[in-house]
Structures are given as C-alpha cells and as structure tokens.
Amino acid sequence: MDQTATPHAIPSACDFTVFGGTGDLALRKLLPALYLRDLEGQLPADTRIVGVSRAELDDDGYRAEVRAALTTYVAPEDLTDPAVDRLLARLHHLTLDAHEPDEWHRLHALLKDRPDHETAARVFYLAVAPSLFGAICDNLEAIGVVNDAARVVLEKPIGHDVASARAVNDAVGRVFAESQIFRIDHYLGKESVQNLLVTRFANTFLEPMWNSHWVDHVQITVAEELGVGERGGYYDHAGALRDMVQNHLLQLLCLVAMEPPSHIGRETVRDEKLKVLQALKPMTPEGVDHDTVRGRYTAGLVDGVAVPSYTDDLGHSGSKTETFVALRTEVQNWRWAGVPFYLRTGKRMDRRASEIVVVFKPPPHAMFPHSEGTTEPNRLHIHIQPDEGMRLHLTAKEPGPGGIRLRPVSLDLSYATTFEQRSPDAYERLLMDVIKGNPTLFMRRDEVEAAWTWVEPILTRWATSPDRPKRYPAGTSGPTAAATLLERDGRSWQESDQ
Ligand code: BG6
C-alpha cells in the first residue's frame, strides 16, 4: 500500500469518457463541473470529453444539448462565451449500447486517435445503472483501451447489500486494479466535509477533547426538503438507509470518529475510516428494533407549499420503503467507548440542512451555582450545507454589575463571509482528483463492503418485521419516534443552531 503523500500533478492530456453522457447526472453535475474547472484553466489543455449514450446524436447534436445544460446549471456570472465554446469544442458523442459489443471499436478508434494516446489520462465515468458496470468494463477490456493510465469512476449505488456490492466490485475488479477504481461519494467532495479534517487535525485545541472523556454525544443530520420527485423508480428499491446512510452519513461519521492518520495520503485516510466502520456496534435484531426508526412522509406543507405524500409521488401504494431514518450507534473503540452517535436523514423535512453537532459534557464542577441565567453544554455545529461554516456554543457572562448572569453565546465561522468566494461544487473537486489520479476522497472496496456489512442486519430486520415505516407529515422533523430515540437517553435533537 502506498503510504506516501504524493502530490498529484495535472496530466498534460486527458480523455474523459462519460457513459450516460446524456443522462441527468452528466448534464446537471458532471459537464457543468468540467466547464467550471476549464474556466479556471485547470483541465489539461489537451482534454477531450466523450459522451457515450444510446441516443442517436452526432457531435454537434451533443454540443447543443450540453450548451443548453450549461445555460441551465451554471450560474450566469460564470458563463462566458469563450469558455463555453472551448468546452464544447472538446466534446464528442458516441452512440453505443453496452450490450452490443460490435459497435465498441469506434470508442477504441477515437481514443487511439491522438499521438500521446498511451500516456493521456483515460477516465471512464460510469454514470449509468450499476447493472451495466460489468458489461461496460468487459467491453472496455475487449477493445483494449484499459491501459496503465486508465481509471474508472463508479457512481452509487454500489450494490444493494453485501453480496451485490461484492458482485459489482468483482465485475469491475476483473478489468481494473483497485488503484484504478474511483467510487464516488459526493459528500466527500464538499468543502465543509474536507474542512472537517482540517479543523480536527490542523488545530490543537479540539483533538484533546475529541473523545469519550469530553464528548457527550454526536448528532449527524442530513435533512432534505425535496421529495423523491422523478426518482421514485430507483428510490423505492433503495430507501433512505441505502440511499443516504450506507454511504453519505457513514462517511461523515467516519471523518468525525477516525484517528489521525500520519499524513493525508492516498491510503492513510481510507485506512482510518475503515477502522471506524469495523468498530461500529453490530446491529442485532433487538438492536434494530430498539435503536432505529424508519419513517415515510405523508402530504404536508414544505415552506408553505402543499406537497404530496410519498405514495402519491410514487404513483402507487403498497410500498414499505422508508424516506426517513434515525438511528443510534456507537464506535466501539478506546476513544469513543460509550458515546452515542445519532444519525438521521429524511426527505420532505422542515428544512434543508446537513450538519454535524458534537455535544460536549458539562463542566465537571459547577462554579457558579447561584448565578442567574442559563447554561447549556458546549456544542460545535459543523454546517455542511447550506451556509457552510461552524459555530461553537459557549457560556459567557452577561455584562453588568451585581451578580453573575450566564448567557449562551457563540463563535461563528461562515465560509461565505470569511473567504468571499464561490464554494466549488463537490463534483468539481472530485473530477479533478480523478483526472490527477488521486483516490484519497473516494471509497475503497473494503470501505464499501464494511459499510454494507454494518447496514445489512438493519435491512434484514426491516424486511422481515411486520412494522411499517412511521408516518410523518411533509415539512416536519420526522416521526415522533425519532425524538423519543434521544429523549429516552435524556437528550434531544439540535433542531436549530441558535
Ligand atoms: C444522493 C441521493 O446521493 O444525495 C439523493 O441519492 C440525495 O437522494 C442527494 O437527494 C443529496 O445530496 P446533496 O448534495 O443535495 O445533499
């Protein structure tokens, strides 16, 4: 395993092939991200972008689609004609079907059609259903385009349980070495998520307190106002546990709980995250009943607007899928013994907010027993989105003579006001890491499988339990059972950061 902190240089040439090139992810996220990096002059000068799909499109037709997507998804102040034209000039489109290998020689011909084709970075981005991953990789191998400079990017879901995740990993692993496989979890590309590592490990004041001696508990919330919208077909087979907890929330938990690696290297961070996943308290059937809550939204009001129920969004009843999960777990190691980690995520909630709250224990001795006012435990709120930043809640003395009056106050760091610059989208960072060949922020096979291993007993119990997800009206903070999960421990969810 490479444990060195190798600086990753931008290669001089790159062929970036997107399977699913006309799909929602490509048009909404990937091409705008490539455009914005190109605008900053970061894409290798000699970059070609090849959209692959089953659509009958030539290069010009594809360019027209991408132009429309850039106009829709890139902020107007970032759109300039020369930069748009430069990106469009890089584009090609190939009409290919994963199940029609005879046509694939055209991709081979295109990738070979440059003098430096052996050394140009070759990215294959699979923005398609995972059921196609194996067939696409086999075709790539068959046409002889998987060289040392090749890397493949996999979008989630990587399987729907341990066995299927292994099957996907095996299928891709037959063609690509693990070091060439980049499994995206876009949460790891968010600025505030990366800043969590910097806050923890580039400062001295937090780390001595970052353990069970001083931390009472940790809350991780990813709340969305949106419902499932057009994605009902996918979502109803996934549910919130597979869609959000198995990947995004567990990755956040890992970054909060992991030990400091010796340096930020391509494997060191992933090694430490894996140890956290392996230390999670295993879920027994009784544990699932006691420590997890699943919910499903009914019709309600979000921001004053009436929205339909999940069943209406889906267009049929009879589904048992959850759109909300809350759970309690522990990291069973020396640092975190006995500290609860509460996780929750849901769609159609009362606010859009992704945040981590570390709640510290009260001072060991009450020195101001007769003071007026209120005290609350110290809390560090890490705002991942929106309004990225951090707020540390403290207790201060209210100014004035005559006794001591305590008052909660906060120290704030707002990214927007401190740095006064646009926070890049997670995909901008992650796509550049792929081009540079830096896998640090991507999930390794063992991490994905460890996460599924922890999640699977919950899936199994839920599948066999006669219980159904508890109802919560859209526009609320989830079912009341989620509040009870903490109340029975004498705690409550931090619903706002005031
Ligand atoms: C995706 C999930 O991975 O993350 C979606 O599939 C979810 O269901 C999305 O809406 C949330 O991402 P973000 O960046 O908007 O918080």
Side-chain angles (χ1 to χ4, degrees):
M1 231 177 240
D2 175 10
Q3 298 292 337
T4 58
T6 324
H8 295 89
I10 298 180
S12 57
C14 175
D15 278 333
F16 198 105
T17 303
V18 183
F19 292 90
T22 54
D24 180 64
L25 180 71
L27 296 178
R28 198 164 44 85
K29 288 287 186 187
L30 306 182
L31 286 151
L34 290 169
Y35 166 80
L36 288 164
R37 289 300 93 204
D38 204 15
L39 181 69
E40 299 287 330
Q42 286 191 348
L43 281 194
D46 197 359
T47 294
R48 298 186 297 180
I49 301 169
V50 185
V52 174
S53 77
R54 287 185 302 176
E56 292 294 341
L57 275 180
D58 59 11
D59 291 350
D60 284 341
Y62 189 48
R63 287 178 183 137
E65 276 204 20
V66 174
R67 182 188 288 279
L70 295 180
T71 313
T72 310
Y73 298 116
V74 175
E77 62 271 23
D78 293 323
L79 279 176
T80 70
D81 286 341
V84 171
D85 290 344
R86 186 167 71 223
L87 188 94
L88 296 183
R90 299 183 184 285
L91 290 178
H92 299 268
H93 182 266
L94 283 180
T95 308
L96 292 183
D97 185 325
H99 301 301
E100 300 285 348
D102 294 349
E103 302 165 6
W104 282 57
H105 61 88
R106 292 190 291 127
L107 177 59
H108 174 260
L110 181 61
L111 295 182
K112 289 275 164 101
D113 184 22
R114 62 188 305 159
D116 51 357
H117 64 83
E118 282 301 339
T119 52
R122 227 174 236 183
V123 177
F124 299 108
Y125 198 116
L126 308 194
V128 294
S131 54
L132 297 174
F133 288 179
I136 291 176
C137 290
D138 289 346
N139 289 338
L140 292 174
E141 186 184 35
I143 61 173
V145 292
V146 181
N147 60 9
D148 288 348
R151 49 212 74 150
V152 66
V153 188
L154 308 183
E155 270 291 335
K156 67 178 253 280
I158 312 241
H160 50 88
D161 56 14
V162 180
S164 55
R166 284 194 185 129
V168 170
N169 285 330
D170 284 346
V172 177
R174 273 194 287 277
V175 176
F176 290 91
E178 179 62 26
S179 59
Q180 295 177 294
I181 303 175
F182 289 67
R183 298 176 190 83
I184 280 227
D185 183 316
H186 76 280
Y187 264 64
L188 295 179
K190 291 185 190 272
E191 283 290 328
S192 42
V193 174
Q194 290 165 51
N195 192 40
L196 175 56
L197 282 184
V198 177
T199 305
R200 280 193 61 193
F201 301 133
N203 297 293
T204 46
F205 75 102
L206 277 178
E207 204 47 27
M209 301 187 61
W210 209 254
N211 54 51
S212 61
H213 294 296
W214 299 105
V215 173
D216 179 75
H217 72 281
V218 177
Q219 301 184 9
I220 301 177
T221 297
V222 178
E224 298 183 89
E225 288 186 336
L226 294 176
V228 291
E230 304 295 307
R231 297 171 71 226
Y234 149 76
Y235 194 87
D236 201 48
H237 287 103
L241 188 69
R242 289 187 173 99
D243 187 49
M244 298 295 289
V245 177
Q246 185 271 345
N247 36 71
H248 307 323
L249 277 89
L250 287 185
Q251 286 291 320
L252 294 179
L253 185 156
C254 285
L255 295 179
V256 173
M258 68 186 234
E259 294 300 317
S262 62
H263 60 273
I264 304 291
R266 47 189 298 143
E267 304 301 344
T268 52
V269 174
R270 307 197 290 181
D271 288 345
E272 294 305 334
K273 286 194 294 162
L274 176 66
K275 289 181 204 162
V276 174
L277 292 168
Q278 291 170 334
L280 287 177
K281 183 178 175 186
M283 281 282 185
T284 60
E286 301 72 38
V288 175
D289 295 346
H290 191 252
D291 289 336
T292 71
V293 173
R294 55 185 162 145
R296 156 128 34 107
Y297 63 82
T298 56
L301 289 179
V302 176
D303 275 343
V305 177
V307 295
S309 65
Y310 176 69
T311 308
D312 286 339
D313 274 343
L314 206 59
H316 65 82
S317 57
S319 158
K320 272 185 81 177
T321 301
E322 78 289 350
T323 62
F324 174 97
V325 177
L327 61 85
R328 179 193 193 283
T329 185
E330 289 176 21
V331 179
Q332 295 183 315
N333 62 15
W334 190 292
R335 183 190 283 263
W336 293 114
V339 176
F341 283 71
Y342 301 101
L343 275 48
R344 83 181 151 161
T345 183
K347 296 212 179 278
R348 285 284 189 234
M349 298 191 60
D350 50 353
R351 59 193 177 125
R352 173 174 180 254
S354 298
E355 59 197 20
I356 298 166
V357 187
V358 179
V359 181
F360 293 92
K361 291 184 174 168
H365 171 63
M367 272 187 56
F368 306 103
H370 305 300
S371 57
E372 298 175 43
T374 53
T375 60
E376 288 173 7
N378 293 144
R379 295 184 326 256
L380 178 65
H381 282 244
I382 300 163
H383 299 276
I384 296 162
Q385 63 190 22
D387 306 329
E388 295 146 316
M390 259 181 246
R391 186 170 287 169
L392 180 60
H393 292 263
L394 309 165
T395 302
K397 176 187 174 298
E398 203 174 284
I404 290 191
R405 191 173 164 78
L406 305 182
R407 205 168 87 187
V409 292
S410 62
L411 297 177
D412 293 340
L413 168 72
S414 152
Y415 267 43
T417 50
T418 304
F419 298 108
E420 292 183 339
Q421 62 186 43
R422 179 181 76 85
S423 221
D425 185 76
Y427 277 96
E428 291 178 55
R429 165 68 192 252
L430 294 173
L431 296 190
M432 286 312 298
D433 280 353
V434 172
I435 290 171
K436 290 189 269 184
N438 178 5
T440 310
L441 295 176
F442 295 80
M443 291 184 296
R444 216 166 49 195
R445 174 177 184 149
D446 47 10
E447 279 182 85
V448 173
E449 292 179 10
W452 277 121
T453 301
W454 184 77
V455 157
E456 195 163 278
I458 308 176
L459 292 169
T460 308
R461 181 66 175 174
W462 284 356
T464 51
S465 156
D467 293 346
R468 297 194 149 244
K470 300 192 166 23
R471 304 285 187 259
Y472 64 95
T476 64
S477 58
T480 48
T484 313
L485 188 70
L486 271 72
E487 279 161 14
R488 68 171 197 224
D489 292 348
R491 303 183 173 106
S492 59
W493 292 105
Q494 299 290 327
E495 297 297 0
S496 81
D497 183 12
Q498 298 308 322

